């Protein structure tokens, strides 16, 4: 039976630019989904700001292509404003937590991926 999303169930959040969504992001998702079984992937609205060439629809498509069918139903993708600060006042039922991945995964760089895409003529 396929996983069915439920907004009332505990859900993990992934906030980022995903410019582009790469293997490091995929590895991070794999760890995060283990925590609650479903993940809300939030794409910051940053196209055209600094070196963020991909629009929301392109980023969303890349994420869905990478995660489906393996994780179908276990994630939602949405656009959010260009969030730069995550703030809270006191313990209110959630936590902000860093997921530490292997050094090899940590070295994956979207900046380097974009540079290679430009070199190969796949990105302006």
């Amino acid at each position: 039976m396929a996983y069915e999303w439920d907004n009332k169930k505990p859900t993990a959040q992934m906030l980022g630019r995903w410019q582009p969504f790469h293997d490091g992001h995929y590895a991070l998702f794999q760890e995060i989904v283990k925590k609650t079984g479903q993940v809300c992937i939030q794409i910051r609205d940053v196209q055209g700001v600094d070196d963020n060439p991909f629009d929301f629809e392109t980023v969303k498509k890349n994420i869905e292509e990478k995660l489906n069918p393996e994780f179908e139903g276990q994630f939602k993708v949405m656009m959010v404003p260009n969030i730069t600060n995550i703030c809270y006042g006191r313990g209110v039922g959630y936590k902000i937590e860093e997921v530490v991945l292997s050094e090899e995964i940590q070295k994956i760089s979207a900046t380097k991926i974009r540079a290679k895409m430009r070199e190969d003529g796949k990105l302006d």
Side-chain angles (χ1 to χ4, degrees):
M1 183 174 152
Y3 185 89
E4 193 168 323
W5 183 273
D6 182 347
N7 275 345
K8 303 292 185 192
K9 287 184 179 177
T11 304
Q13 173 193 20
M14 283 179 68
L15 171 67
R17 295 174 301 141
W18 322 117
Q19 295 277 326
F21 192 82
H22 56 63
D23 289 343
H25 298 140
Y26 178 73
L28 180 62
F29 175 88
Q30 288 177 302
E31 291 304 310
I32 291 173
V33 76
K34 292 175 188 175
K35 295 178 178 298
T36 60
Q38 62 184 35
V39 179
C40 178
I41 301 173
Q42 298 178 329
I43 301 171
R44 293 171 52 202
D45 187 7
V46 293
Q47 183 192 17
V49 176
D50 298 322
D51 186 16
N52 295 294
F54 302 108
D55 66 16
F56 170 75
E57 290 302 326
T58 300
V59 175
K60 181 179 180 185
K61 179 177 164 268
N62 290 340
I63 291 169
E64 290 172 343
E65 286 177 354
K66 187 73 173 178
L67 299 182
N68 284 325
E70 183 179 2
F71 295 103
E72 192 165 355
Q74 290 183 266
F75 66 95
K76 283 196 174 196
V77 178
M78 66 177 60
M79 181 189 293
V80 296
N82 185 11
I83 295 171
T84 58
N85 297 63
I86 298 175
C87 309
Y88 66 98
R90 60 182 174 84
V92 291
Y94 59 87
K95 57 187 168 185
I96 297 174
E97 134 185 37
E98 180 181 6
V99 175
V100 180
L101 301 172
S102 71
E103 187 175 333
E104 179 181 325
I105 295 294
Q106 297 275 2
K107 287 182 180 179
I108 298 173
S109 164
T111 301
K112 290 177 183 174
I113 291 169
R114 288 190 304 274
K116 177 76 170 128
M117 291 174 77
R118 286 185 176 104
E119 182 181 307
D120 294 343
K122 296 178 181 175
L123 184 63
D124 292 330

